[in-house]
Amino acid sequence: MSLLFGPYPAQPNAAPCALPLIGVAVPAGFPSPAADWVEDRVDLNRRFITHPEATFYFTVAGDSMVSAHAERSIPDGALLIVDRALAAQHNDVVVAVLDGDFTVKRLYRRGAKLALLAENPAYTPIVLGDEQELAIWGVVRAWVVESR
């Protein structure tokens, strides 16, 4: 089961903080010689926060979103960047409020069928019953995992 801590509002008037973007992909296999490859500058706030007044952070607790597919895996302790201004679509990772509790899951929406899916196969899909209340709180734009 995954729990969420938050929401913590993003700083809507954060000072720009553009950091150098190196213009080459870092090989995960054999090293490549380094050079002066600074290509641009990137401000992570501008890249991931398009609606500052509607953007919040959450911290994930639990392993229900851990996947064997690295690009889909959201580990325990990850920081979620959640945008409430985006309309949730099928297959989006969302922060939902299910019966009054926050959870992060992948949204399954096909026709009248609505479910919340974990990435971890140990967790069964949450298919909503008639007596349950669900609100999609926001759409996860990105997640950050600290390496140390």
Side-chain angles (χ1 to χ4, degrees):
M1 183 65 148
S2 291
L3 303 172
L4 293 173
F5 299 106
Y8 308 108
Q11 178 58 264
N13 299 316
C17 182
L19 302 173
L21 171 67
I22 306 301
V24 296
V26 176
F30 294 102
S32 128
D36 293 331
W37 291 334
V38 174
E39 185 172 279
D40 201 353
R41 297 186 75 80
V42 173
D43 182 332
L44 295 178
N45 289 326
R46 295 185 75 182
R47 180 168 177 167
F48 293 111
I49 300 175
T50 52
H51 305 105
E53 299 294 334
T55 300
F56 294 82
Y57 303 114
F58 284 86
T59 302
V60 175
D63 66 352
S64 74
M65 294 302 285
V66 173
S67 171
H69 304 282
E71 71 279 3
R72 296 174 70 101
S73 191
I74 304 174
D76 179 63
L79 179 72
L80 302 177
I81 302 170
V82 180
D83 190 336
R84 297 195 76 187
L86 297 176
Q89 299 176 354
H90 172 72
N91 211 29
D92 279 343
V93 175
V94 298
V95 169
V97 181
L98 180 64
D99 295 331
D101 295 323
F102 283 114
T103 188
V104 59
K105 296 287 179 285
R106 190 166 296 277
L107 179 65
Y108 181 92
R109 181 185 295 168
R110 286 289 185 234
K113 186 170 183 177
L114 185 66
L116 298 174
L117 308 177
E119 292 292 342
N120 186 333
Y123 294 85
T124 58
I126 300 171
V127 179
L128 297 181
D130 291 337
E131 69 285 350
Q132 291 184 297
E133 290 185 32
L134 173 71
I136 303 301
W137 198 88
V139 175
V140 176
R141 290 271 331 253
W143 54 89
V144 177
V145 178
E146 294 183 45
S147 63
R148 62 186 277 195

